[in-house]
Amino acid sequence: MALIENLNLWPPSNLQRNLALNSPPKLFNFKPSATHSIRKTLHTCRCSLVNEQQQQQASFTDQEKQLIDALIGIQGRGKSASPQQLNDVERAVQVLEGQDGEGDPTSSDLIEGRWQLMFTTRPGTASPIQRTFVGVDFFSVFQEVYLRTNDPRVSNIVKFSDWIGELKVEAAASIKDGKRILFQFDRAAFSFKFLPFKVPYPVPFRLLGDEAKGWLDTTYLSHSGNLRISRGNKGTTFVLQKRTDPRQKLLAAISTGTGVEEAIDEFISLSKSGAKDEPVLLEGEWQMIWSSQIETDSWLENAGNGLMGSQIVKNEQMKFLVNILPGIRFSMIGKFVKSGTKTYDVTMDDAALIGGPFGYPLEMETKINMELLYNDDKIRISKGYNNILFVHLRALDGSK
């Protein structure tokens, strides 16, 4: 983040890989007799969540929604962004920076609190700790800003998971003017859930001198206090949010691999409450990013049933496309017809292995009744083969 870009220190060896641990085992086993009360509680919680998400969705202006829309589908908080995606984000950022946000962000109470990092540019000056942690979607990255205390501070937090813990890098802060915060790193520590004490991060801050210092300009702070754009002293741009768009919440659940089906249920419930029309299957190239079934041992079966790779929808035809090896891919083409308000009958029967200009036909046929649960120009949620849930992201060039 803005402060992390100044901290040119390598994190412990292999830490990133070792911290990406599996979810903990289930701790509770509910009895059937409790089902009714549980369902009632879940229904109440879900209604509250939908109301909360509706308020969150309404808290963004049209220009802010354009920036959020540009962020959807970017992985690694910008690390894997294409030139087109970077241009879309920068254009939306510049529009907001030209808007009338909070006039003096550093003097506003809205800047106080915990902000989640959603996007950052990747200059050549990015530090090893920034390159290692910030670009990993499995981790959550936050920035805490507290300027109205006896000990003003700005802190960067890398949350590895609810079960592992976090790394917190802190800096003493001061306000220079209405936009700029000056800071100097002075302490950092790991807080692991399995240890009763903090583990100091081995950084000799006092010996770093000016390397531990920097500044952070807030170039846009929304009147709702939910979105902030900042630029650091090394030229990095940051987009941070206190509240996230429902689509961002869903993609975050997929990135961490926790509570995905619950996130899908909540997202669809919210989309239904605000939808005027039934979803329509949109043309374009769609990359599968999650399914409710683990792939089988047969890659051919996975590819033929749409459990891997991408789908291209065009002119009432659908193509499954899977890259098997460099220069070799699996292709399967079929047709679909609308069979209900949100269902489609899909017949895939033209399969082949393709290598360069050559193709080897395969005798395969797959029939799927697809139920479209949600579809916009970025995300598609559907039920397909064997009633499996799928989440697809639209590729940049949907003209294929």
Side-chain angles (χ1 to χ4, degrees):
M1 297 181 63
L3 307 187
I4 289 178
E5 69 175 348
N6 289 68
L7 191 55
N8 291 296
L9 297 164
W10 288 102
S13 176
N14 295 326
L15 182 61
Q16 173 184 324
R17 181 173 65 253
N18 293 336
L19 288 172
L21 302 178
N22 294 326
S23 301
K26 295 181 180 179
L27 301 179
F28 303 100
N29 184 18
F30 294 108
K31 296 181 179 180
S33 59
T35 300
H36 178 73
S37 60
I38 292 171
R39 285 178 177 170
K40 185 176 180 181
T41 302
L42 288 175
H43 175 74
T44 303
C45 293
R46 179 166 295 175
C47 290
S48 301
L49 180 60
V50 168
N51 291 334
E52 179 185 353
Q53 287 183 328
Q54 287 173 327
Q55 293 174 359
Q56 292 176 8
Q57 202 170 27
S59 66
F60 296 106
T61 66
D62 289 342
Q63 291 82 5
E64 290 167 358
K65 289 177 182 177
Q66 288 178 5
L67 174 56
I68 292 173
D69 195 60
L71 296 176
I72 297 295
I74 295 180
Q75 296 181 330
R77 300 177 186 87
K79 181 179 180 180
S80 303
S82 69
Q84 179 182 331
Q85 288 174 317
L86 291 175
N87 288 336
D88 291 344
V89 172
E90 183 60 29
R91 186 163 50 249
V93 164
Q94 290 176 356
V95 168
L96 286 176
E97 288 179 330
Q99 299 290 313
D100 293 328
E102 289 293 304
D104 294 312
T106 58
S107 301
S108 172
D109 290 338
L110 295 176
I111 202 171
E112 303 270 316
R114 173 174 278 209
W115 295 84
Q116 184 170 358
L117 179 66
M118 309 306 297
F119 174 86
T120 174
T121 53
R122 317 292 297 184
T125 55
S127 69
I129 189 172
Q130 183 178 358
R131 291 195 300 268
T132 301
F133 290 132
V134 173
V136 181
D137 285 326
F138 183 82
F139 303 150
S140 298
V141 182
F142 301 92
Q143 185 179 79
E144 290 182 345
V145 179
Y146 293 105
L147 303 175
R148 287 154 186 79
T149 68
N150 294 329
D151 183 23
R153 291 200 161 266
V154 178
S155 304
N156 291 307
I157 300 167
V158 180
K159 184 177 180 181
F160 305 119
S161 76
D162 290 333
W163 316 285
I164 300 173
E166 64 185 30
L167 166 64
K168 187 173 186 179
V169 183
E170 300 185 50
S174 61
I175 297 174
K176 181 179 180 180
D177 54 39
K179 289 188 176 181
R180 181 163 294 184
I181 299 172
L182 304 177
F183 62 84
Q184 181 171 1
F185 292 109
D186 57 4
R187 62 188 183 221
F190 291 96
S191 297
F192 294 117
K193 296 293 185 179
F194 48 83
L195 293 177
F197 53 86
K198 294 183 179 181
V199 179
Y201 190 75
V203 181
F205 291 110
R206 294 181 180 180
L207 301 179
L208 291 177
D210 290 342
E211 289 296 318
K213 298 179 181 179
W215 51 260
L216 180 67
D217 283 349
T218 295
T219 56
Y220 178 80
L221 176 62
S222 67
H223 293 300
S224 65
N226 289 331
L227 189 144
R228 174 163 64 96
I229 299 171
S230 294
R231 296 183 184 265
N233 57 289
K234 292 193 175 182
T236 314
T237 302
F238 309 92
V239 178
L240 307 101
Q241 295 174 224
K242 280 185 181 175
R243 288 181 172 178
T244 53
D245 178 274
R247 292 176 298 175
Q248 292 173 312
K249 284 191 173 184
L250 172 59
L251 294 177
I254 292 173
S255 295
T256 59
T258 56
V260 179
E261 293 196 44
E262 292 82 355
I264 290 174
D265 288 343
E266 292 162 2
F267 177 79
I268 292 175
S269 296
L270 174 60
S271 65
K272 285 181 178 178
S273 65
K276 297 180 180 179
D277 302 310
E278 293 293 341
V280 178
L281 188 60
L282 299 179
E283 291 193 350
E285 181 175 358
W286 298 86
Q287 180 67 41
M288 195 200 76
I289 60 172
W290 182 87
S291 74
S292 58
Q293 176 174 303
I294 301 175
E295 296 176 2
T296 67
D297 292 335
S298 170
W299 69 263
L300 193 59
E301 180 182 346
N302 295 326
N305 292 327
L307 292 173
M308 57 196 303
S310 61
Q311 295 179 6
I312 300 175
V313 179
K314 190 173 183 180
N315 298 329
E316 296 185 349
Q317 284 192 334
M318 182 175 292
K319 178 192 286 187
F320 294 167
L321 198 60
V322 181
N323 293 321
I324 306 300
L325 293 170
I328 301 176
R329 59 183 180 174
F330 169 86
S331 172
M332 192 172 189
I333 303 173
K335 295 183 177 181
F336 63 87
V337 294
K338 193 174 180 65
S339 57
T341 56
K342 57 180 180 179
T343 57
Y344 295 81
D345 288 333
V346 183
T347 302
M348 309 295 293
D349 55 9
D350 184 4
L353 285 178
I354 300 174
F358 305 102
Y360 179 78
L362 300 171
E363 291 293 330
M364 296 179 64
E365 182 180 77
T366 301
K367 292 187 177 182
I368 301 170
N369 180 255
M370 174 189 290
E371 180 182 2
L372 197 59
L373 303 177
Y374 178 84
N375 203 177
D376 63 20
D377 60 355
K378 290 279 187 174
I379 295 177
R380 189 180 81 197
I381 304 174
S382 62
K383 282 186 179 180
Y385 169 77
N386 208 21
N387 218 31
I388 297 171
L389 268 173
F390 293 90
V391 180
H392 288 80
L393 271 182
R394 194 174 198 169
L396 287 178
D397 182 7
S399 62
K400 293 182 180 180

